[in-house]
Amino acid sequence: MTGNTTFTMIKPDAFAAGSTGLILNKIIENGFKIKALRLTALSKEKAEAFYAVHSERPFFNSLVEFMTSGPIVAAILEKENAVENFRKLIGATNPADAAEGTIRKLYATSIQYNAVHGSDSDENALIEGNFFFNQFDRH
Ligand code: GDP
């Protein structure tokens, strides 16, 4: 059985380019409900923890530097079969391989500067959502 929740980040490249509103609109147009939304920024420690699975990859340091370079928008999204449907909407990791109309095809500029994150499993959607949102948060 697949879950109905996924997690996304609008990455620093897309935020800096002013694409946040258009990306959120595309997400909504495609039937996702925004359950939580936050403008924030990653510390080096948080970025390293978020991408720990890639810590041995040659691009790890560059990825952490990029992900800490400016504001990001974190969101929890809801739709049936959310993880798979959202991965389809964002397109391939490398925008050169992303299908027409996908968010990465429209807004990413390279394999690293690829505009958005999307969880790759129900389990990670939960972990990543909890990384940014806590039901007891009040500001
Ligand atoms: P995703 O699930 O499609 O985001 O891709 P991955 O989990 O494989 O990679 C995480 C993030 O690392 C990607 O979204 C990119 O920002 C970055 N990344 C992935 N592969 C490369 C690469 O070969 N070079 C560089 N510089 N960054 C990469």
Side-chain angles (χ1 to χ4, degrees):
M1 208 183 110
T2 57
N4 63 355
T5 298
T6 192
F7 169 80
T8 188
M9 272 188 284
I10 295 171
K11 296 185 179 183
D13 58 330
F15 183 86
S19 304
T20 298
L22 292 170
I23 291 172
L24 290 175
N25 193 45
K26 184 126 187 104
I27 290 170
I28 294 162
E29 274 177 1
N30 278 272
F32 291 87
K33 279 197 180 134
I34 296 174
K35 304 301 286 186
L37 185 75
R38 167 169 289 170
L39 174 64
T40 183
L42 284 167
S43 65
K44 186 166 183 281
E45 292 68 28
K46 283 254 183 183
E48 285 172 350
F50 191 88
Y51 285 111
V53 66
H54 294 307
S55 61
E56 302 303 320
R57 306 285 282 277
F59 59 82
F60 183 66
N61 288 341
S62 169
L63 176 60
V64 169
E65 194 175 324
F66 161 51
M67 289 304 297
T68 57
S69 66
I72 59 120
V73 174
I76 293 175
L77 306 176
E78 201 173 271
K79 185 181 177 170
E80 84 284 350
N81 196 13
V83 166
E84 190 185 335
N85 277 322
F86 192 67
R87 295 287 299 194
K88 253 185 227 157
L89 177 60
I90 67 177
T93 305
N94 187 343
D97 302 326
E100 286 301 328
T102 59
I103 292 174
R104 282 172 169 166
K105 183 71 175 185
L106 289 166
Y107 300 108
T109 54
S110 75
I111 192 167
Q112 176 169 281
Y113 301 124
N114 64 0
V116 283
H117 168 82
S119 303
D120 63 2
S121 67
D122 289 345
E123 188 191 6
N124 282 337
L126 188 64
I127 293 168
E128 292 170 0
N130 287 338
F131 200 90
F132 287 92
F133 298 98
N134 177 321
Q135 62 176 316
F136 300 113
D137 276 359
R138 290 285 188 278
H139 295 284

